[in-house]
Amino acid sequence: MNRAATVNEVSNGQQQQPNKTKPSGKRINGLSSSVQDIAGLLLFCFSCFLSLTNTNLASYGSFEMVQEIATYLLDRTRIRPQCGIICGSGLGCLAEQLTDVDSFDYETIPHFPVSTVPGHVGRLVFGYLAGVPVLCMQGRFHYYEGYSLAKCSMPVRVMRLVGCTHLIATNAAGAINNNFHVGDIMLIKDHINLMGFAGNCPLLGPNDDRFGPRFLGMAKAYDPGMLQVAKDTAKHVPGLGSILREGVYCCVGGPNFETVAEGRLLSLLGVDAIGMSTVHEIITARHCGMTCFAFSLITNMCTMSYEEEEEHCHETFVDVGRQLEGRICELVTRVVGTIRSEANGRKKE
Ligand SMILES: O=P(O)(O)O[C@@H]1C[C@H](O)[C@@H](CO)O1
């Protein structure tokens, strides 16, 4: 609650500025007062816009609220998950691999947003994968659906409070890297938080130390150990090695795809694949100390020249996921399997 006041104070501060110059009626830098009036009006509109967007950007989900959701779920299942899995577009098949499941439609969970994107069922599934208790988000939330980044990532905190120490995030993405192909799986070794460059972040607002620290390092956001396990897995799963890539993911706000100029810019910045999710979930997960692993299913090549036909279609992307189901499930199952061995190893120490 206090937070909202703080955010408004900031925008009100900006709102004051045009009023300060107005009564003097003096020219500034040779501008006539009518021009100043217009400039003042524009500034006023801009600050209104800022306060509106700030409301949208402000933190969502107090510790107590997230705890209430976690308690609601834990009261209704005996499963105590160690790993959270977020299913990207067309990757809901992962949740279908779980055994002994307890499912919760998002609509039935207090304070939970609802999924609005085709291919995102909108269900939390508790169950076992490779013998490890896991919690699958069968459908995630995107910024372009109108949710703040904090709201999009709030379920990650729920995962943490129900006991998950690990997070596996998956997504559909367009390839910028020319050497990639549709149907490749790109292990994410790092990301570029483009929305963060513009001041948008899931951690905006006052920090609650019960979740994590105010400032956090992101140099090892993607766990090198889990990355290595995934690479080793490729050696044992037929047909996986040839489609496995590694690269840098960048999240854009969407829902529009990139212009050619934007694609070229991101290529210059070192981006290998572009999507509309994951980055804010990983930031939130790292904030609360989770070990993270993520990959992108390359569903399309980004349009990098004006001569190319743009053939982006969400439904086709979802189909690519279906075609790769077997190998993706095998990859995730094996990576999750190592969490069990890790936990057993720790118990023996
Ligand atoms: O949830 P993900 O990141 O897999 O979804 C991708 C990005 C857009 O939401 C959508 C575009 O088709 O797929």
Side-chain angles (χ1 to χ4, degrees):
M1 284 296 126
N2 290 340
R3 181 69 214 136
T6 314
V7 168
N8 287 336
E9 274 159 30
V10 172
S11 51
N12 284 342
Q14 283 155 341
Q15 216 167 311
Q16 297 307 319
Q17 275 194 329
N19 294 339
K20 271 187 206 158
T21 55
K22 221 177 163 190
S24 73
K26 285 182 195 155
R27 288 169 176 239
I28 295 178
N29 294 337
L31 292 180
S32 72
S33 55
S34 60
V35 172
Q36 282 184 47
D37 283 348
I38 294 169
L41 186 66
L42 284 175
L43 263 173
F44 174 74
C45 292
F46 181 59
S47 62
C48 288
F49 167 76
L50 266 186
S51 57
L52 278 176
T53 50
N54 277 343
T55 308
N56 189 35
L57 300 182
S59 63
Y60 175 84
S62 65
F63 189 87
E64 287 71 22
M65 193 193 100
V66 179
Q67 204 166 37
E68 186 190 331
I69 302 174
T71 306
Y72 174 89
L73 296 166
L74 291 176
D75 282 350
R76 287 161 180 79
T77 178
R78 286 166 184 266
I79 301 169
R80 297 293 176 261
Q82 282 177 262
C83 180
I85 302 173
I86 303 178
C87 304
S89 293
L91 296 166
C93 58
L94 287 170
E96 281 145 31
Q97 305 302 307
L98 309 194
T99 55
D100 302 320
V101 299
D102 282 324
S103 298
F104 302 86
D105 289 342
Y106 291 164
E107 287 88 352
T108 65
I109 307 171
H111 311 293
F112 232 71
V114 287
S115 283
T116 67
V117 182
H120 291 259
V121 176
R123 195 160 47 207
L124 279 188
V125 187
F126 287 74
Y128 293 87
L129 190 63
V132 178
V134 300
L135 169 53
C136 238
M137 251 186 104
Q138 206 177 16
R140 64 149 59 86
F141 308 111
H142 304 85
Y143 188 69
Y144 63 77
E145 292 175 76
Y147 300 126
S148 67
L149 291 182
K151 197 163 185 172
C152 291
S153 334
M154 183 275 289
V156 171
R157 288 180 163 172
V158 173
M159 287 174 164
R160 183 68 196 101
L161 291 200
V162 298
C164 297
T165 50
H166 290 67
L167 176 70
I168 298 181
T170 70
N171 62 60
I176 287 275
N177 187 323
N178 223 357
N179 298 317
F180 291 0
H181 302 98
V182 171
D184 282 350
I185 293 172
M186 182 188 84
L187 304 177
I188 302 181
K189 65 174 179 193
D190 206 347
H191 70 225
I192 291 183
N193 181 13
L194 198 63
M195 293 163 89
F197 286 6
N200 196 357
C201 175
L203 306 179
L204 285 185
N207 187 64
D208 191 326
D209 293 344
R210 289 173 290 179
F211 284 127
R214 170 77 289 182
F215 300 105
L216 88 145
M218 287 293 290
K220 283 222 173 74
Y222 299 87
D223 185 59
M226 288 179 90
L227 257 175
Q228 193 54 50
V229 170
K231 285 190 232 173
D232 293 344
T233 299
K235 294 178 197 144
H236 306 290
V237 179
L240 190 57
S242 58
I243 60 165
L244 209 63
R245 311 271 175 254
E246 196 177 333
V248 174
Y249 174 87
C250 177
C251 169
V252 294
N256 58 291
F257 296 107
E258 304 66 49
T259 64
V260 170
E262 286 162 351
R264 288 177 180 174
L265 172 73
L266 292 177
S267 169
L268 286 175
L269 292 180
V271 171
D272 294 296
I274 313 180
M276 301 176 193
S277 66
T278 305
V279 166
H280 36 278
E281 296 158 352
I282 297 293
I283 292 172
T284 304
R286 291 299 299 143
H287 181 245
C288 56
M290 295 171 85
T291 304
C292 298
F293 170 73
F295 65 84
S296 299
L297 173 64
I298 302 300
T299 51
N300 60 290
M301 300 304 290
C302 293
T303 314
M304 300 295 278
S305 93
Y306 297 103
E307 284 71 46
E308 278 171 52
E309 269 308 311
E310 189 184 39
E311 287 173 351
H312 299 349
C313 160
H314 179 73
E315 285 66 30
T316 318
F317 298 171
V318 172
D319 278 345
V320 177
R322 284 203 196 102
Q323 287 163 33
L324 271 287
E325 239 176 58
R327 280 173 273 182
I328 288 170
C329 290
E330 192 61 39
L331 172 66
V332 174
T333 307
R334 290 195 183 223
V335 171
V336 168
T338 61
I339 297 172
R340 178 185 45 188
S341 345
E342 234 180 65
N344 288 344
R346 268 202 304 273
K347 262 186 225 149
K348 279 182 203 139
E349 277 166 18

